[in-house]
Amino acid sequence: MSLLEKLEAAQRSQDVLKALGVNAIGATIDVAGSATEGEIAGNRVVLAGTNNYLGLTFDQACVDAAVAAVRSHGTGTTGSRLANGTYACHAALEDELNAFLGARSSIVFTTGYVANVGTISTLAGPGDVIVLDADSHASIYEGAKLSGAEVYRFRHNDPDDLAKRLRRLGERASRTLVIVEGLYSMLGDVSPLKKICEVKDRYGAYLLLDDAHSFGTMGANGRGLAEAQGCEDEVDFITGTFSKSLGSVGGYCASRKHDINPLRAQIRAYMFTASSTPSVIASTRAALQLIGRRPELRTRLWQNAKRVHSALGSLGFTLGADFSPVIATIMDSPQQAASAWQMLLDAGVYVNLVVPPGAPKNLSILRCSLSAAHTPDQINQIISAYALVADQLMDRPKAVAGGSI
Ligand code: PMP
């Protein structure tokens, strides 16, 4: 196959979705009027397929901070963190992350993807081993591949399978980085983190937690899954993103246990890419303060999640997991999922369509994600739109409570 024939093959696989009559890949949000409402193809829609869990993208304090920063520090840094791209605001955000997470050190990156690729590929190298959860995000797989370490997968959310793999490694377990996520973003299920910690400690391995979707959404103070499960001191490294609960863009790696500062002069994705703009850092800092100060945002988020989860279960949908800010409905086929996605959009509700190979276990799912900013009316609209889908597309009997896989 020539270089450009690959593009034609890629186009053909995208045409499969088009043949289903939907244009779900890269659907353009023409106007984002608020954290939960936008315009797609001329229609006003409730946004229920974002990662705007706390609804902070339009928070006045965050917007004001960004505007003030762009006025006083300009539109961009035009340099990498190691050259001219570290401003006082980047260092201040790292200090604030340390204080918030109780970390010894933190490093801020330009995106969460880059934080994972850079940190993982530098922490582990040839001669080391990475054992990762099979459902890991692309950036985790990418970092693992780039590291040159031996890479093994363990069964998703299965501490016994992890233990089996670490046992087989013998003394090499002490040169092993285990990687899991907190809240998994496709099915909305949660890692058994405390058990994972027990297992990696038993074998003397190290653990990196990608807390992208649990930071801000879980734990009494919003510090994520390790706080929620009471094992913050056991996790060696935490990576995360600013593009979800914090409502901006960027990423970090933090550690309570280790001084990770020496990595700054080793991580190529830190040394050779431009740093985040001052306005992005400013809104992120403002949002971080709100996560700590406004626990009611988390309460509202989980109330919204519970309402939608219970309603969709009652409508007879098969749900991906117990209730969480991500609610996946498992559809029978890619075709059914695509038709349902379009019906929801026509009813003014935007969710994510995920078809093979995008979703775990080759499932076809509709991924609905909730926000603290969804109003009771918007939650009703989301539920009513799903009721239409249940009525018109599904012939299974209605259940009282949601099933789960
Ligand atoms: N890790 C996980 C689990 C994610 O879901 C994502 C984003 N979808 C990332 C990392 C990357 O984050 P970012 O968008 O900041 O690059």
Side-chain angles (χ1 to χ4, degrees), residues 302-312 376-377 379-380 383:
W302 284 86
Q303 279 167 351
N304 284 343
K306 193 170 186 179
R307 261 202 75 203
V308 173
H309 187 274
S310 136
L312 301 199
D377 281 352
I379 295 294
N380 288 341
I383 294 169

Side-chain angles (χ1 to χ4, degrees), residues 198-235:
E198 281 162 21
V199 170
K200 70 94 189 172
D201 281 342
R202 196 183 320 146
Y203 292 95
Y206 296 86
L207 176 66
L208 184 145
L209 164 68
D210 176 354
D211 223 14
H213 295 266
S214 0
F215 182 89
T217 63
M218 302 183 85
N221 298 288
R223 294 202 299 266
L225 186 64
E227 184 191 18
Q229 294 193 5
C231 51
E232 286 176 287
D233 287 331
E234 280 87 82
V235 177

Side-chain angles (χ1 to χ4, degrees), residues 129-134 149-154 165 169 172:
V129 183
I130 291 177
V131 182
L132 46 78
D133 185 287
E150 264 171 60
V151 181
Y152 301 100
R153 294 187 297 179
F154 69 96
R165 275 160 216 283
L169 286 169
R172 297 184 70 211

Side-chain angles (χ1 to χ4, degrees), residues 111-113 116 137 139 181 185 210 212-213 241 243-244 250:
T111 70
Y113 193 100
N116 270 342
H137 188 259
S139 55
E181 292 178 30
S185 64
D210 176 354
H213 295 266
T241 175
S243 70
K244 306 190 190 311

